[in-house]
Amino acid sequence: MSVQHSHRDDFPALRRKIDGEGISYLDNAATTLKPDSVIRAVTEYYETNGANIHRGKHRLSEEASDSYEASRVLIANHLGASANEVVLTRNTTEALNLVAQGLDLDPDAYVVGCMDAHHSQMLPWRRAGRLALTRVDADGRLDREHFRELLRGRPKVVALTHCSNVTGVVHPVAELIAEIRSATDAVVVLDAAQSLPHQRINVRELDVDFLAFSMHKMLGPTGVGVLFGRSRLLAGLRPLAVGGGMVDWVDLDGSVDRRTPYVFEAGTPAIASVIGSGAAVRYLEALDPGALHRHEQDLAAALVGGALTSPGVRLVGPAELTDRIGLVSLRLDVGVPTGDVARMLSDSYGYMVRSGHMCSQPLVTGLAGGEILRVSAYLYNEVAEIAGFYEALNELLSCIGPAAPVGARR
């Protein structure tokens, strides 16, 4: 039995209809839908408990605290990490800012990044130090020679992106980290927000210092980011926020911080969302990884194939199916209003896709020259949906304006 038929019914949002028609959700790079088990975990916390965590001694508080910490353990095990190396934040953005600000870099510290970085992996390092970006080729793949050239400057930090949210390219980060280790003693910070929903990562095997991602991109609730950090490096980070929950003692003369990871988790967290995140990890780990991989390859082939054969559309990124996820970005003919097309695809055809610069504006501007449509599939999508999307897009574009010949595209 295929992945889509086994699991599509687990996602109640896909049962929704708009004007009597079913919807097709193809905006998974922004956030994924939630299965029933995750929704039940969140609802159960509110229905049967609802107490705050860690500071209360009553029964409900202790139960909530246990459930919250159980989710931390599940997430840590999913990464091959220890629980005290997992900091729970609001999102990937906060996790990366925690590292960038917490390292207390000199303002002139040299940092190497990547041109295809999400703004969350670019702007914090631009503020923290002197950022140099590795170039990419016309398909969005890293220029390895330029990367090595930048490493010769002996950076303090190298900020990598595992998978581009624009091109869907999965970079060979294990090779890149090996090159970093042989060239410099830089701290390696990996943005895995787009890759981890599609593949397991073992932080020990990868030899990464910090890794950040968001649970909402991998079937979990919104409001939960995760930062993995090596114990010795976490111990040296300065907290991004101070207040209740991150101290053991406060008096008129000073305070005593809690141990890691709690010193980085000031204030009341998103308790229900963290508990739901544990349910999301359990759901993902119960899937057949081989079947899931084959299904995602089929989705990627359908996405790329449709882009290459649709008039008025240019594929942004590589046409090859290796080292990529089920995501394509499309540049429409000049003069076609991308945002309006996305709205019409939604309102008239039921296809939910993303338009704009994808919070990666330098890359999108460089590769596409303007706004794009992004179509991203996940485990509950079907190949037939992709074909239907391109039929709708082609029909819509034929009504809006003239299309370029198919042979004019690469």
Side-chain angles (χ1 to χ4, degrees), residues 94-114:
E94 184 177 48
L96 292 170
N97 273 274
L98 171 56
V99 181
Q101 298 302 312
L103 287 173
D104 268 338
L105 297 174
D106 183 272
D108 196 45
Y110 177 45
V111 179
V112 170
C114 302

Side-chain angles (χ1 to χ4, degrees), residues 215-232:
M215 288 304 308
H216 72 89
K217 294 182 188 291
M218 47 193 296
L219 307 183
T222 55
V224 179
V226 177
L227 175 66
F228 158 80
R230 293 186 193 270
S231 294
R232 63 177 179 82

Side-chain angles (χ1 to χ4, degrees), residues 163-309:
C163 176
S164 169
N165 76 323
V166 173
T167 64
V169 167
V170 179
H171 297 302
V173 291
E175 296 177 15
L176 298 175
I177 292 172
E179 290 188 22
I180 295 167
R181 299 302 186 205
S182 66
T184 177
D185 59 356
V187 173
V188 179
V189 184
L190 181 64
D191 176 358
Q194 288 299 332
S195 59
L196 198 55
H198 302 274
Q199 64 181 84
R200 291 281 292 269
I201 294 175
N202 186 296
V203 292
R204 304 287 184 227
E205 295 174 0
L206 195 57
D207 192 25
V208 67
D209 295 315
F210 292 99
L211 179 144
F213 62 97
S214 292
M215 288 304 308
H216 72 89
K217 294 182 188 291
M218 47 193 296
L219 307 183
T222 55
V224 179
V226 177
L227 175 66
F228 158 80
R230 293 186 193 270
S231 294
R232 63 177 179 82
L233 293 174
L234 279 180
L237 278 189
R238 182 179 51 136
L240 191 63
V242 295
M246 53 78 63
V247 287
D248 278 329
W249 184 266
V250 179
D251 59 28
L252 295 179
D253 298 318
S255 60
V256 178
D257 290 346
R258 296 185 73 187
R259 67 186 187 278
T260 57
Y262 307 108
V263 67
F264 304 111
E265 299 177 358
T268 297
I271 301 168
S273 291
V274 169
I275 292 171
S277 295
V281 171
R282 284 192 292 269
Y283 185 95
L284 286 170
E285 290 185 347
L287 299 175
D288 178 343
L292 180 59
H293 178 67
R294 290 189 295 273
H295 178 58
E296 292 201 348
Q297 285 184 315
D298 291 342
L299 292 172
L303 285 166
V304 172
L308 294 176
T309 56

Side-chain angles (χ1 to χ4, degrees), residues 105-154:
L105 297 174
D106 183 272
D108 196 45
Y110 177 45
V111 179
V112 170
C114 302
M115 182 62 72
D116 69 340
H118 190 280
H119 293 164
S120 298
Q121 180 71 320
M122 182 183 294
L123 299 183
W125 299 110
R126 183 182 288 176
R127 174 176 288 186
R130 179 170 49 90
L131 178 64
L133 297 175
T134 306
R135 293 190 294 260
V136 297
D137 65 17
D139 286 332
R141 299 192 186 278
L142 289 183
D143 182 333
R144 298 289 290 272
E145 286 303 317
H146 188 230
F147 181 70
R148 295 179 187 115
E149 178 185 330
L150 295 179
L151 290 184
R152 286 194 282 272
R154 299 193 63 79

